[in-house]
Amino acid sequence: MMKVLAGGVHRLGLVLSRNFATDVGHVPVMARETVTFLKPQNGELFVDMTFGAGGHTKEILKAAPEAKIIALDRDPIAHRIATDLASCYPEQIIPVLGRFSELPAKLRELKIQQNSIDGFIFDFGCSSMQFDKGLRGFSISRNGPLDMRMDKDRCQDSPTAAEVLAKIDETDLSRILKIYGEEKHYRKIARAIIDARHSMRKIETTHQLADIVQSCFGTGIHRLDKLLRPSHPATKTFQALRIFVNNELNEINYGMLLAQRYLKLGGKLVAITFHSLEDTIVKRHVMGNVLNDMANRLPLRYSSHTVCHDRQAMDSLTKPCSGWQQLTKHVVLPGDEEVERNPRSRSAKLRAAVRVS
């Protein structure tokens, strides 16, 4: 047994020493807390639902070198990183490219049944890799095409943020900014975007959109976020469009349902969120207060729903299910040391729960 464990630690050392070009600067949020709540053991099966650069998966492997992890991500770049990691962990790391809503079909291909997984990990929102690449269109500070698709070109019929802004009417845009961005000035910003579209030019880059939103506030106006940090006036607009383009809230809601179905009794869930919309969905699930239309508050008129499930699959997900027992009385926040080391963790909230009968 010691020989097996030593082999696992050696392989992990090789992986951690590798210089992934897309992994530079990536720091997993609340990795220590994640492992503490999951308590991974050798031989257990986990699903990392948001693999990213693999930070949480690597921490699990440090704690349990012979654990098995399904590494899911909708981003092709993250999938390539997972594939590289899997080459060092054959039959332990299983890279899967897809959204949460595509997971049931992927698990059927892997012959993995419901009630059979030991742990699920969610780290919602964008990864550092996506924010740090201007070409992805997520960043306000780095100019690039207004894309914002987490799947990149994998789903050809999914519209980019630029395509949404080219077609959407003012009423729908206002609602998206208000609900998905929690933007108080949603009417003013929507009107400015529509005016710019009709009278000036197409809105095709991140800096173009940021400048239009900035013009609604004038010069010398500075916004603060909920943690009293300086925030660009367009931050909430970018958040709203990103959520809409990627159908994020419905995917999160569905992912939470999947975790409940596929976890075995005693299986653990760790979910890390970065804004109130994500946290509300997670909180309602683990507290058993789920509304059917909670995440679907807007008609996703410009979003392509390409995934269909048969009646049997849907019935298995929506029938009454055993509940959760929360592992923490209150939401867990990152410590001061982590915030200083990784400023992007400041808005993170962690909730953990165990599936019970």
Side-chain angles (χ1 to χ4, degrees):
M1 181 64 176
M2 289 301 294
K3 183 178 179 180
V4 172
L5 293 177
V9 172
H10 175 67
R11 290 200 307 272
L12 182 62
L14 292 175
V15 171
L16 294 178
S17 66
R18 298 183 63 175
N19 181 23
F20 294 116
T22 51
D23 195 16
V24 176
H26 175 79
V27 181
V29 174
M30 288 195 276
R32 177 177 57 83
E33 291 85 347
T34 296
V35 172
T36 297
F37 286 116
L38 286 177
K39 294 183 172 60
Q41 303 295 318
N42 288 308
E44 290 187 333
L45 174 63
F46 298 89
V47 181
D48 187 343
M49 295 284 278
T50 45
F51 178 80
H56 290 102
T57 286
K58 293 171 188 175
E59 291 300 319
I60 291 171
L61 291 173
K62 284 183 183 179
E66 300 303 321
K68 188 174 183 179
I69 303 174
I70 297 170
L72 176 73
D73 206 291
R74 64 192 292 178
D75 191 324
I77 294 176
H79 180 66
R80 287 201 295 271
I81 296 175
T83 301
D84 284 342
L85 187 63
S87 67
C88 298
Y89 282 81
E91 299 183 4
Q92 270 189 270
I93 304 297
I94 305 172
V96 175
L97 177 63
R99 307 170 184 175
F100 300 161
S101 53
E102 296 174 277
L103 183 62
K106 306 288 185 180
L107 292 179
R108 283 196 296 271
E109 293 174 5
L110 296 171
K111 295 181 169 53
I112 294 175
Q113 304 295 321
Q114 294 186 18
N115 308 307
S116 65
I117 294 173
D118 295 283
F120 269 75
I121 310 101
F122 292 94
D123 182 7
F124 296 120
C126 285
S127 69
S128 298
M129 299 181 299
Q130 292 165 337
F131 275 124
D132 291 342
K133 298 292 183 181
L135 291 176
R136 300 301 302 273
F138 294 100
S139 175
I140 297 175
S141 60
R142 293 174 172 83
N143 195 28
L146 198 57
D147 192 323
M148 295 194 185
R149 294 172 300 169
M150 292 179 175
D151 304 275
K152 292 193 70 177
D153 297 323
R154 186 174 72 90
C155 303
Q156 293 292 329
D157 57 348
S158 295
T160 65
E163 290 169 338
V164 170
L165 292 182
K167 298 178 181 179
I168 196 168
D169 61 42
E170 186 175 345
T171 300
D172 282 342
L173 180 56
S174 294
R175 296 176 67 198
I176 287 173
L177 297 178
K178 178 182 179 181
I179 296 176
Y180 288 166
E182 300 178 294
E183 173 59 71
K184 294 180 180 179
H185 304 281
Y186 59 93
R187 288 194 182 94
K188 181 187 296 185
I189 294 172
R191 169 46 37 195
I193 290 172
I194 298 300
D195 285 345
R197 187 179 75 188
H198 290 315
S199 64
M200 296 172 54
R201 61 191 182 279
K202 292 181 179 180
I203 306 171
E204 296 180 328
T205 70
T206 54
H207 278 185
Q208 284 177 335
L209 177 58
D211 289 344
I212 291 169
V213 178
Q214 177 77 65
S215 70
C216 296
F217 295 86
T219 59
I221 302 298
H222 301 282
R223 299 184 69 170
L224 301 177
D225 64 14
K226 293 180 179 179
L227 296 178
L228 301 181
R229 297 172 298 180
S231 175
H232 192 283
T235 298
K236 293 183 177 182
T237 298
F238 273 64
Q239 173 186 301
L241 283 173
R242 189 202 82 209
I243 290 173
F244 182 79
V245 166
N246 295 288
N247 196 18
E248 287 183 42
L249 299 190
N250 287 310
E251 286 288 324
I252 292 172
N253 194 54
Y254 191 73
M256 292 294 295
L257 289 170
L258 289 178
Q260 195 172 42
R261 286 297 165 197
Y262 280 91
L263 279 174
K264 60 177 61 172
L265 290 178
K268 299 179 182 68
L269 163 79
V270 171
I272 301 171
T273 62
F274 291 87
H275 57 75
S276 61
L277 297 175
E278 295 171 345
D279 186 56
T280 295
I281 295 174
V282 174
K283 179 171 64 175
R284 287 182 173 177
H285 274 278
V286 299
M287 295 182 68
N289 181 26
V290 181
L291 303 177
N292 290 333
D293 63 348
M294 175 183 60
N296 192 20
R297 299 167 67 183
L298 283 177
L300 298 181
R301 181 181 303 175
Y302 306 97
S303 191
S304 173
H305 297 275
T306 58
V307 179
C308 297
H309 301 286
D310 57 38
R311 172 61 61 183
Q312 182 179 2
M314 291 306 299
D315 287 346
S316 70
L317 288 169
T318 56
K319 67 185 180 182
C321 180
S322 58
W324 298 101
Q325 177 181 331
Q326 297 185 75
L327 294 176
T328 60
K329 185 176 181 180
H330 303 290
V331 68
V332 178
L333 303 177
D336 293 340
E337 181 179 341
E338 177 168 6
V339 170
E340 183 176 353
R341 184 177 70 253
N342 181 17
R344 286 178 174 170
S345 70
R346 284 182 290 189
S347 57
K349 295 180 179 179
L350 182 149
R351 295 184 186 272
V354 58
R355 186 187 167 199
V356 296
S357 59

